Amino acid sequence: LRALRAFPLSLERFWLTLGDRMSRSSLPWAREACPIGNVRYLHVPKAGSSFAPSVWAYACPRVDFGILQLHMQPYGKNKDSWTDLWTMQEAQNRGECPCLSGEVESSYHHLPLVHADEQVLEAVGIFRLPLERIVSAFNYGLHAHGLQGAAEMKANVSSKGTRAEKLLAFATWPGVGQVQAKMLLGYSPSDGKQLDASEADLARARVGQMRFAGLLECFSESIALFQRQFPARYSALLSEHLRSTIGATKDLTERDVRALLAAGYRDEADEGVFCAVVTRLKEQLNGTSIERSLGCEAALSNPACRSRLQ
């Protein structure tokens, strides 16, 4: 299964179907364990991988907490990083994830909604400000999952002079942008397709069809909302592994975002998706007592999203 990342999406469709069959367990306790129905994890690259344990806590009611709380390390930094994920995959193989549609391993590695019209109704995921996602991917070794011609892209970026020039070269490389919108439409994150206006509109509309959509900028708030909407045996210890990018690197990220904006770069399709999540999340949080951080309030009041509503 690890080799799937090197194969075409058509093979991933096969494993997706197999994963669906495994996850829709016929065990008599399965239906009782899923009070809100099945969920499908849509994992946008560089947009909150730490959401996965909460998804699994709901979808895998018989998995031990010690497995759920394993912390995913970036590739190359911890030789055991695969072990954590494969422990979850093995649990699903044993029928311990009756509420999870799709396969643990392929969904964690950014499988899009291949059959989007149907799968979006089960989809749960975290989204992110498009330019901050681009900057994060740039900082993470020019991360563009599954990009064809990645070596050529990296050579092109390296040939540029200043950091701002390198960043712009990365952001404008075919396949690097529109990641969130493409995944909602069934395209792999780094597919070279350029979405047109109607496709961008469809991606934005699909946010409203998702079972759950949160924001990295409102990560703690999104987790709290998810756990309210999807009753499960959540552990307070899960919070120890919640990861947020709103921290020491925030000033550097904002500097890079300003550089992209100064160069005239925008990701209209992903901006539309982000703003659709903002609208939905704001409405849902307004109906709760969940306390919002200053960072979350700023994201929910994003000027670009306000201008789209006018």
Side-chain angles (χ1 to χ4, degrees):
L1 293 182
R2 299 184 194 183
L4 277 179
R5 297 187 304 281
F7 284 85
L9 189 59
S10 58
L11 185 55
E12 287 187 292
R13 289 174 190 264
F14 166 79
W15 285 109
L16 176 66
T17 301
L18 178 61
D20 277 344
R21 289 174 180 173
M22 290 190 301
S23 64
R24 296 180 187 278
S25 172
S26 59
L27 294 174
W29 54 269
R31 287 185 297 275
E32 297 177 4
C34 312
I36 312 298
N38 275 35
V39 295
R40 181 181 299 276
Y41 181 32
L42 181 67
H43 184 193
V44 173
K46 307 310 299 175
S49 59
S50 293
F51 180 50
S54 288
V55 176
W56 296 333
Y58 167 77
C60 308
R62 291 198 171 183
V63 171
D64 185 82
F65 274 125
I67 297 175
L68 291 176
Q69 292 159 195
L70 289 174
H71 185 52
M72 302 297 176
Q73 293 289 338
Y75 298 131
K77 292 188 177 181
N78 182 350
K79 66 180 181 180
D80 296 325
S81 58
W82 277 106
T83 304
D84 300 349
L85 188 59
W86 276 78
T87 301
M88 282 301 307
Q89 182 60 69
E90 290 166 358
Q92 185 184 33
N93 294 347
R94 294 192 299 268
E96 296 177 12
C97 297
C99 314
L100 187 67
S101 293
E103 188 190 57
V104 165
E105 197 273 345
S106 58
S107 61
Y108 187 83
H109 288 110
H110 316 301
L111 188 70
L113 301 181
V114 180
H115 306 291
D117 288 335
E118 307 156 8
Q119 294 175 352
V120 70
L121 302 176
E122 296 179 329
V124 297
I126 299 290
F127 296 84
R128 188 175 187 179
L129 273 165
L131 269 60
E132 290 198 4
R133 197 206 65 79
I134 289 280
V135 170
S136 180
F138 176 83
N139 290 331
Y140 194 70
L142 306 179
H143 181 60
H145 182 78
L147 180 71
Q148 295 186 1
E152 182 184 357
M153 176 272 287
K154 292 181 178 181
N156 179 68
V157 172
S158 297
S159 71
K160 305 304 178 184
T162 66
R163 178 179 175 84
E165 291 171 339
K166 293 178 188 291
L167 184 57
L168 184 62
F170 174 69
T172 55
W173 190 267
V176 169
Q178 299 186 330
V179 165
Q180 299 174 103
K182 285 185 293 190
M183 292 184 72
L184 284 166
L185 297 178
Y187 297 102
S188 60
S190 297
D191 192 295
K193 178 177 175 57
Q194 188 69 23
L195 302 181
D196 60 29
S198 63
E199 290 170 316
D201 287 344
L202 177 58
R204 186 168 61 250
R206 285 204 167 134
V207 169
Q209 298 175 299
M210 291 181 67
R211 183 146 289 176
F212 178 85
L215 288 177
L216 184 64
E217 291 76 12
C218 298
F219 194 68
S220 295
E221 295 86 350
S222 296
I223 293 295
L225 185 64
F226 179 85
Q227 293 183 359
R228 289 189 181 201
Q229 293 181 354
F230 295 82
R233 36 160 208 145
Y234 296 108
S235 166
L237 293 177
L238 281 175
S239 63
E240 294 180 8
H241 298 292
L242 301 186
R243 183 169 52 200
S244 172
T245 59
I246 311 301
T249 62
K250 181 67 175 176
D251 289 343
L252 296 177
T253 298
E254 290 179 346
R255 177 202 64 187
D256 288 338
V257 166
R258 287 195 298 270
L260 285 173
L261 291 172
Y265 178 81
R266 287 184 69 181
D267 188 334
E268 293 278 358
D270 271 12
E271 186 178 288
V273 168
F274 173 82
C275 291
V277 179
V278 164
T279 299
R280 172 177 174 160
L281 185 62
K282 185 187 297 185
E283 291 176 354
Q284 292 184 330
L285 287 175
N286 284 343
T288 73
S289 59
I290 295 172
E291 187 175 347
R292 305 182 201 175
S293 66
L294 292 177
C296 180
E297 289 286 6
L300 296 178
S301 303
N302 187 278
C305 296
R306 289 203 305 269
S307 66
R308 282 176 175 268
L309 295 174
Q310 295 173 354

